Amino acid sequence: MRIRLVALLAAMLTLAACSGDDPELSTDSTIVTGGTNAPAPTPSTTTAGTGEGTSPSTTLAGQSVETFEVVANIPNDQGVAQHIVIPNGAYTDVDLENFIIELIDSNPDLYGAEIFDDADAAAAFAVDPAQRTEDQAALIERHHFLSLIGRDRIEFRGPFAEFPGGAIGS
């Protein structure tokens, strides 16, 4: 019986080697010969797939906020609140939080901020909420990313509303 099993295995390996195709190796099968067992394979993680039944992985590749424009300074008892427009970009929640932290560090009078990626949305935000049109409200919803509240708390807005806000740096 063992001789037949070994002969069959040798024939299969020969066919695989001569077929010209790279054989698909598997560590799922073992032959027990009364000796030692092969070590278990090291687990690995696949990060992308191209075949049927698999889907490619998604990696968020954000970008830093390099430039910005302050379109409104609103003084208050604690300092100043700013309405800021950043360029359109592929930002992540972490990119926006890092921007706010840098903004706070560079501006000791900053007590609040509203971050947009569209100047028209920032202008619409300045309109009394009771006076805003539906178009202005929709514009704000699409382009208002973040609010800094009281210098130490952030609230994600619009397209980032699914992210939890909270204390800066937590």
Side-chain angles (χ1 to χ4, degrees), residues 4-5 11 20-21 23 28 31 46 48-50 52-53 57 59 71 75 77 105 126 132 140 144 152 155 162 168:
R4 285 185 191 169
L5 183 58
D21 295 330
D28 295 338
I31 298 176
T46 302
T50 56
E52 196 172 309
S57 65
T59 302
V71 294
D77 293 341
D105 290 345
R132 288 184 192 145
I140 293 167
H144 187 195
D152 60 357
E155 295 283 330
E162 69 186 57
I168 298 277

Short mmCIF file of all heavy atoms in Angstrom, two decimals, residues 4-5 11 20-21 23 28 31 46 48-50 52-53 57 59 71 75 77 105 126 132 140 144 152 155 162 168:
data_model
loop_
_atom_site.label_atom_id
_atom_site.label_comp_id
_atom_site.label_asym_id
_atom_site.label_seq_id
_atom_site.Cartn_x
_atom_site.Cartn_y
_atom_site.Cartn_z
N ARG A 4 2.43 1.89 -3.42
CA ARG A 4 1.48 2.46 -4.38
C ARG A 4 1.27 3.95 -4.11
O ARG A 4 1.20 4.75 -5.03
CB ARG A 4 0.14 1.74 -4.30
CG ARG A 4 0.18 0.39 -4.92
CD ARG A 4 -1.20 -0.18 -4.89
NE ARG A 4 -1.13 -1.59 -5.25
CZ ARG A 4 -2.12 -2.43 -5.12
NH1 ARG A 4 -3.27 -2.01 -4.63
NH2 ARG A 4 -1.99 -3.67 -5.47
N LEU A 5 1.16 4.32 -2.85
CA LEU A 5 0.95 5.73 -2.47
C LEU A 5 2.16 6.57 -2.88
O LEU A 5 2.01 7.65 -3.44
CB LEU A 5 0.69 5.84 -0.97
CG LEU A 5 0.38 7.23 -0.43
CD1 LEU A 5 -0.85 7.80 -1.12
CD2 LEU A 5 0.16 7.19 1.05
N ALA A 11 4.33 10.15 -9.39
CA ALA A 11 3.75 10.39 -10.71
C ALA A 11 3.07 11.76 -10.76
O ALA A 11 3.19 12.49 -11.76
CB ALA A 11 2.76 9.28 -11.08
N GLY A 20 4.56 22.51 -17.43
CA GLY A 20 4.89 23.87 -17.88
C GLY A 20 4.18 24.93 -17.07
O GLY A 20 4.55 26.08 -17.08
N ASP A 21 3.13 24.57 -16.37
CA ASP A 21 2.42 25.52 -15.51
C ASP A 21 3.03 25.46 -14.12
O ASP A 21 3.52 24.41 -13.69
CB ASP A 21 0.94 25.16 -15.40
CG ASP A 21 0.21 25.30 -16.72
OD1 ASP A 21 0.63 26.16 -17.54
OD2 ASP A 21 -0.75 24.57 -16.92
N PRO A 23 2.83 24.78 -10.51
CA PRO A 23 1.86 24.07 -9.70
C PRO A 23 1.41 24.94 -8.54
O PRO A 23 2.17 25.77 -8.04
CB PRO A 23 2.62 22.84 -9.20
CG PRO A 23 4.05 23.27 -9.21
CD PRO A 23 4.18 24.24 -10.36
N ASP A 28 -2.10 21.84 2.84
CA ASP A 28 -3.24 21.20 3.48
C ASP A 28 -3.11 19.68 3.52
O ASP A 28 -3.76 19.03 4.30
CB ASP A 28 -4.54 21.57 2.75
CG ASP A 28 -4.85 23.05 2.89
OD1 ASP A 28 -4.34 23.68 3.83
OD2 ASP A 28 -5.59 23.56 2.05
N ILE A 31 1.56 13.47 4.18
CA ILE A 31 1.71 12.03 4.08
C ILE A 31 2.34 11.56 5.38
O ILE A 31 3.38 12.07 5.80
CB ILE A 31 2.62 11.64 2.89
CG1 ILE A 31 1.98 12.10 1.60
CG2 ILE A 31 2.89 10.15 2.90
CD1 ILE A 31 2.85 11.86 0.39
N THR A 46 -3.51 38.27 3.35
CA THR A 46 -3.62 38.78 1.99
C THR A 46 -4.26 40.15 2.06
O THR A 46 -5.29 40.32 2.70
CB THR A 46 -4.49 37.84 1.14
OG1 THR A 46 -3.88 36.55 1.15
CG2 THR A 46 -4.61 38.33 -0.28
N ALA A 48 -4.82 42.06 -0.85
CA ALA A 48 -5.53 42.40 -2.07
C ALA A 48 -5.89 41.12 -2.77
O ALA A 48 -5.19 40.12 -2.69
CB ALA A 48 -4.67 43.26 -2.99
N GLY A 49 -6.99 41.12 -3.47
CA GLY A 49 -7.40 39.95 -4.22
C GLY A 49 -7.81 40.33 -5.62
O GLY A 49 -8.25 41.45 -5.87
N THR A 50 -7.62 39.42 -6.55
CA THR A 50 -8.00 39.70 -7.92
C THR A 50 -8.87 38.61 -8.49
O THR A 50 -9.40 38.76 -9.57
CB THR A 50 -6.75 39.85 -8.81
OG1 THR A 50 -5.97 38.66 -8.71
CG2 THR A 50 -5.93 41.06 -8.41
N GLU A 52 -11.95 35.49 -8.45
CA GLU A 52 -13.37 35.43 -8.16
C GLU A 52 -13.56 35.18 -6.67
O GLU A 52 -12.88 34.38 -6.06
CB GLU A 52 -13.98 34.28 -8.96
CG GLU A 52 -15.47 34.34 -9.03
CD GLU A 52 -16.01 33.30 -9.98
OE1 GLU A 52 -15.52 33.23 -11.13
OE2 GLU A 52 -16.90 32.56 -9.57
N GLY A 53 -14.49 35.88 -6.08
CA GLY A 53 -14.78 35.70 -4.67
C GLY A 53 -13.91 36.53 -3.74
O GLY A 53 -14.04 36.46 -2.54
N SER A 57 -8.32 45.15 -1.32
CA SER A 57 -8.34 45.87 -0.05
C SER A 57 -8.39 47.36 -0.33
O SER A 57 -8.04 47.82 -1.40
CB SER A 57 -7.09 45.53 0.77
OG SER A 57 -5.95 45.99 0.11
N THR A 59 -7.16 51.04 1.08
CA THR A 59 -6.26 51.76 1.97
C THR A 59 -6.54 53.24 1.82
O THR A 59 -6.55 53.75 0.71
CB THR A 59 -4.79 51.47 1.59
OG1 THR A 59 -4.58 50.07 1.66
CG2 THR A 59 -3.85 52.18 2.53
N VAL A 71 -11.54 82.94 6.04
CA VAL A 71 -12.51 83.79 5.35
C VAL A 71 -13.35 84.61 6.33
O VAL A 71 -14.04 85.53 5.91
CB VAL A 71 -13.42 82.97 4.40
CG1 VAL A 71 -12.59 82.38 3.27
CG2 VAL A 71 -14.18 81.90 5.14
N PRO A 75 -14.66 87.56 16.63
CA PRO A 75 -14.16 87.68 18.00
C PRO A 75 -15.23 87.27 19.01
O PRO A 75 -16.44 87.45 18.78
CB PRO A 75 -13.82 89.17 18.15
CG PRO A 75 -14.34 89.85 16.94
CD PRO A 75 -14.81 88.83 15.96
N ASP A 77 -15.57 86.37 23.64
CA ASP A 77 -14.96 86.65 24.95
C ASP A 77 -13.72 85.80 25.22
O ASP A 77 -12.84 86.21 25.98
CB ASP A 77 -15.97 86.43 26.08
CG ASP A 77 -17.11 87.44 26.05
OD1 ASP A 77 -16.94 88.51 25.42
OD2 ASP A 77 -18.17 87.15 26.64
N ASP A 105 -1.94 75.13 17.81
CA ASP A 105 -0.56 75.38 18.25
C ASP A 105 -0.01 76.69 17.72
O ASP A 105 0.77 77.36 18.38
CB ASP A 105 0.37 74.23 17.84
CG ASP A 105 0.11 72.96 18.63
OD1 ASP A 105 -0.57 73.02 19.68
OD2 ASP A 105 0.58 71.89 18.18
N ALA A 126 -22.30 81.37 7.11
CA ALA A 126 -22.40 82.66 7.80
C ALA A 126 -23.82 83.23 7.80
O ALA A 126 -24.14 84.10 8.59
CB ALA A 126 -21.44 83.66 7.17
N ARG A 132 -31.35 80.50 5.64
CA ARG A 132 -30.68 79.69 4.60
C ARG A 132 -31.67 79.03 3.67
O ARG A 132 -32.71 78.54 4.09
CB ARG A 132 -29.84 78.58 5.23
CG ARG A 132 -28.61 79.08 5.91
CD ARG A 132 -27.78 77.92 6.44
NE ARG A 132 -26.77 78.44 7.34
CZ ARG A 132 -26.33 77.82 8.42
NH1 ARG A 132 -26.77 76.62 8.74
NH2 ARG A 132 -25.41 78.38 9.17
N ILE A 140 -23.58 73.35 2.48
CA ILE A 140 -22.91 73.22 3.78
C ILE A 140 -22.74 71.74 4.14
O ILE A 140 -21.67 71.32 4.58
CB ILE A 140 -23.69 73.97 4.89
CG1 ILE A 140 -23.65 75.48 4.62
CG2 ILE A 140 -23.16 73.63 6.28
CD1 ILE A 140 -24.63 76.28 5.46
N HIS A 144 -18.83 71.17 4.66
CA HIS A 144 -18.45 71.52 6.04
C HIS A 144 -17.88 70.25 6.68
O HIS A 144 -18.59 69.29 6.90
CB HIS A 144 -19.68 72.02 6.80
CG HIS A 144 -19.38 72.55 8.16
ND1 HIS A 144 -20.37 72.74 9.08
CD2 HIS A 144 -18.23 72.95 8.77
CE1 HIS A 144 -19.85 73.23 10.19
NE2 HIS A 144 -18.54 73.37 10.02
N ASP A 152 -10.69 72.80 22.47
CA ASP A 152 -10.23 71.48 22.88
C ASP A 152 -11.17 70.34 22.45
O ASP A 152 -10.96 69.19 22.83
CB ASP A 152 -10.04 71.44 24.39
CG ASP A 152 -11.33 71.74 25.15
OD1 ASP A 152 -12.36 72.04 24.53
OD2 ASP A 152 -11.28 71.69 26.40
N GLU A 155 -15.84 68.34 16.39
CA GLU A 155 -17.05 67.66 15.91
C GLU A 155 -16.91 67.52 14.41
O GLU A 155 -16.73 68.52 13.70
CB GLU A 155 -18.30 68.48 16.23
CG GLU A 155 -18.60 68.63 17.70
CD GLU A 155 -19.20 67.38 18.32
OE1 GLU A 155 -19.88 66.63 17.60
OE2 GLU A 155 -18.96 67.18 19.53
N GLU A 162 -19.71 60.61 10.20
CA GLU A 162 -19.70 59.25 10.77
C GLU A 162 -18.56 59.05 11.77
O GLU A 162 -18.58 58.10 12.55
CB GLU A 162 -19.58 58.22 9.65
CG GLU A 162 -18.23 58.24 8.95
CD GLU A 162 -18.16 57.32 7.75
OE1 GLU A 162 -19.00 57.48 6.85
OE2 GLU A 162 -17.28 56.48 7.74
N ILE A 168 -9.60 66.83 21.72
CA ILE A 168 -8.47 66.82 20.78
C ILE A 168 -7.42 65.82 21.28
O ILE A 168 -7.08 65.80 22.46
CB ILE A 168 -7.83 68.23 20.70
CG1 ILE A 168 -8.83 69.23 20.17
CG2 ILE A 168 -6.56 68.20 19.88
CD1 ILE A 168 -8.96 69.27 18.70
#
